[in-house]
Amino acid sequence: MLAVASVIVVAALERAPAATLVALPGLLAGALIGLAVLQLGVLAGGLALGPRMPRIVIGFGPRLRDWATPGRTITLRAVPIMLSVTIGPGKMPVRPRVWGTYLVSAILGVAMTALLVVTESGPFWLGAAVGCAAAVLLALFPRRDAAATSTGWVLLHYLRLEPREAAEIDAAPLVAAVTKAVQAGDLPAAQAACDALAQLQPEGQSLSMARVVLLEAHGRYAEAMQLVLGMLAEPGLPQRDFALITAGLAGLAAAAVEAGQLEPELGLGWAERAITDAEQLAYPAYKLNSAKALVEVLRGNVSKAIALANTAIELGNDALGRADDLATLARAQMAAGDNATARLTLGEAERIAPWWPRVARIRARLDVS
């Protein structure tokens, strides 16, 4: 709708058809400029104020290279005209840092829009000014769902959340410490961070999430599932959180079946139902490709599993998630009778996280075969 409105605005301002046609490429260029400046603002605010920045993606299209540390992954893709910066709770105090980061983003976005409006000359740059304004307005419109939280929502609501959600966010640095230690393969440190979180907040979603991360790192998927099911049963759980947790349940259920911790029909039924529920709650379908690929492997649909796993690998930016997807792909290639390719695929996963339970388990299967 906003794109259509932008075209109408350009047509109304230019009036002449030829000038309007010149302005349309400017509209696209301006939208890309606006989005890029907003993300540069997030990056600048993040570097200045210290929230956690677990993922930075430069460009779109095929992946060219990853630079990974336990706390952050930087991904370069083939067409470097876009930027995506993921922000999460980091240093204390959590919420003011995140709020300030998005304030910097909003200020830079508005400033760039104003600059294009003031310096506009000719149809192309008029289109660019309108496109940039549209991108910034979309970011500043308050919205929050399973797919994304807008800059406007953060600025409007983040400093005055309900006490329960505020407490969960304020405890998130310890959850992040658990995640960072798991990504580094330091499970004793992850356990220590989880124990510290239990002392600070003995009840709540944050502690359950940290325990799920740790249990998955130990390959104890059925136990992690029990915690997730308990989280889903909590009264008053927001729809957005329900979608996120349900998506996590799908992968855990499939992994529990693969590890022999759950009966296949029961576990795969759980996984497939969780995938459907998450999609119906507007959880991004592409983020479910990992779970879908593993389900298809376990169902014996090898070609479909390979296609889904390749898509998950291509679109994913999380290091451990990539290792897990590579393990799924290797498992599917084994099922297709191509052990040589499976060894190459698993070797790539081992360069990321050789200790990850699914990677180690599939290595053992390959060695036996």
Side-chain angles (χ1 to χ4, degrees), residues 265-284:
E265 283 310 310
L266 176 61
L268 293 179
W270 272 109
E272 289 165 340
R273 189 158 53 252
I275 288 169
T276 299
D277 289 346
E279 287 180 330
Q280 290 177 346
L281 292 168
Y283 189 81

Side-chain angles (χ1 to χ4, degrees), residues 75-203:
T75 299
L76 176 64
R77 295 187 176 271
V79 186
I81 62 171
M82 297 181 68
L83 178 67
S84 174
V85 182
T86 302
I87 290 294
K91 299 176 183 177
M92 296 291 288
V94 173
R95 285 177 293 142
R97 291 179 187 273
V98 173
W99 187 88
T101 295
Y102 281 100
L103 179 62
V104 172
S105 173
I107 290 172
L108 287 185
V110 171
M112 176 54 71
T113 301
L115 179 64
L116 288 174
V117 169
V118 170
T119 60
E120 172 267 314
S121 61
F124 180 89
W125 289 108
L126 172 66
V130 174
C132 184
V136 172
L137 284 174
L138 183 63
L140 294 180
F141 182 80
R143 71 188 189 285
R144 190 192 199 197
D145 54 32
T149 300
S150 73
T151 299
W153 191 94
V154 173
L155 295 178
L156 190 61
H157 297 286
Y158 217 62
L159 294 182
R160 50 191 187 91
L161 294 171
E162 294 181 358
R164 176 180 172 180
E165 186 174 3
E168 296 284 358
I169 291 173
D170 291 340
L174 284 173
V175 180
V178 174
T179 302
K180 184 175 181 179
V182 166
Q183 289 174 336
D186 189 349
L187 300 191
Q191 183 64 62
C194 194
D195 292 341
L197 178 58
Q199 293 292 324
L200 176 69
Q201 193 176 26
E203 296 181 356

Side-chain angles (χ1 to χ4, degrees), residues 7-24 123-124 126:
V7 172
I8 293 172
V9 169
V10 167
L13 290 172
E14 286 296 346
R15 298 185 183 177
T20 301
L21 288 175
V22 173
L24 291 180
F124 180 89
L126 172 66

